[in-house]
């Protein structure tokens, strides 16, 4: 029966859900507290973040206000369907990584830096320390 088949989430819904989750974690907001502020259940927030349920425009606006993010934040990186970011096969890998205290502290501090040159230098430093080639970053920052 076609009605019983579970549909794959739309890539845009997945992307928006991942961005909600990322911003929520960066804001040190729990799923439960976000749900309470929105008058929703914890399960509904979980489904939004997994892309299983679509977020309405009014709900996304409320989420953006709570998480202090512009609406455009949730769509960053998406201009064409081919531009959708690669998602992790196992979403718990990203979630567990993002919960790390050092990652949260680093991302919070980095997000407070407004000088683009300082941000670029920090990326170069981190890339050098990790032994990662950051030429892609250099090319995109010059464009």
């Amino acid at each position: 029966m076609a009605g019983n088949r579970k549909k794959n989430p739309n890539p845009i819904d997945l992307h928006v859900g991942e961005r909600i989750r990322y911003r929520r974690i960066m804001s040190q907001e729990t799923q439960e507290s976000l749900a309470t502020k929105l008058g929703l259940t914890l399960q509904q927030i979980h489904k939004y973040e997994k892309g299983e349920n679509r977020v309405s425009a009014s709900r996304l606006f409320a989420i953006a206000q709570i998480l202090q993010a512009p609406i455009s934040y949730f769509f960053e990186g998406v201009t064409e369907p081919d531009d959708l970011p690669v998602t992790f096969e196992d979403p718990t890998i990203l979630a567990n990584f993002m919960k790390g205290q050092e990652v949260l502290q680093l991302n919070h501090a980095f997000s407070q830096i407004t000088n683009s040159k300082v941000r670029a230098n920090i990326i170069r430093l981190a890339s050098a320390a990790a032994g990662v080639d950051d030429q892609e970053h250099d090319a995109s920052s010059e464009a």
Side-chain angles (χ1 to χ4, degrees):
M1 289 193 203
N4 290 338
R5 270 190 276 153
K6 191 173 184 177
K7 293 181 1 180
N8 289 333
N10 179 290
I12 299 294
D13 296 331
L14 285 170
H15 180 76
V16 169
E18 288 172 359
R19 298 293 287 177
I20 290 170
R21 181 176 180 80
Y22 179 76
R23 185 65 179 212
R24 178 184 58 75
I25 291 169
M26 290 300 302
S27 301
Q28 299 181 351
E29 190 86 42
T30 65
Q31 283 184 329
E32 187 173 357
S33 66
L34 182 59
T36 299
K37 290 175 182 177
L38 292 167
L40 301 173
T41 65
L42 178 64
Q43 182 181 19
Q44 185 65 41
I45 298 300
H46 181 74
K47 287 183 175 185
Y48 283 161
E49 290 184 358
K50 288 201 156 276
E52 294 174 9
N53 285 4
R54 289 186 176 148
V55 182
S56 70
S58 59
R59 183 86 65 205
L60 187 59
F61 185 81
I63 291 169
Q65 287 183 312
I66 292 167
L67 300 179
Q68 298 179 351
I71 293 293
S72 61
Y73 167 83
F74 301 100
F75 298 96
E76 282 178 5
V78 179
T79 56
E80 297 292 330
D82 292 343
D83 290 342
L84 284 171
V86 176
T87 58
F88 287 89
E89 289 294 319
D90 181 358
T92 59
I93 294 171
L94 176 62
N96 289 337
F97 174 75
M98 293 307 301
K99 287 180 185 176
Q101 192 61 34
E102 290 173 333
V103 172
L104 291 173
Q105 290 171 336
L106 179 62
N107 282 321
H108 179 72
F110 188 80
S111 70
Q112 303 303 307
I113 300 169
T114 57
N115 185 311
S116 61
K117 289 184 180 184
V118 171
R119 289 172 70 102
N121 285 333
I122 291 171
I123 291 169
R124 284 187 196 94
L125 174 64
S127 296
V132 175
D133 183 13
D134 69 343
Q135 287 184 2
E136 286 182 22
H137 172 73
D138 289 342
S140 66
S141 64
E142 293 173 6

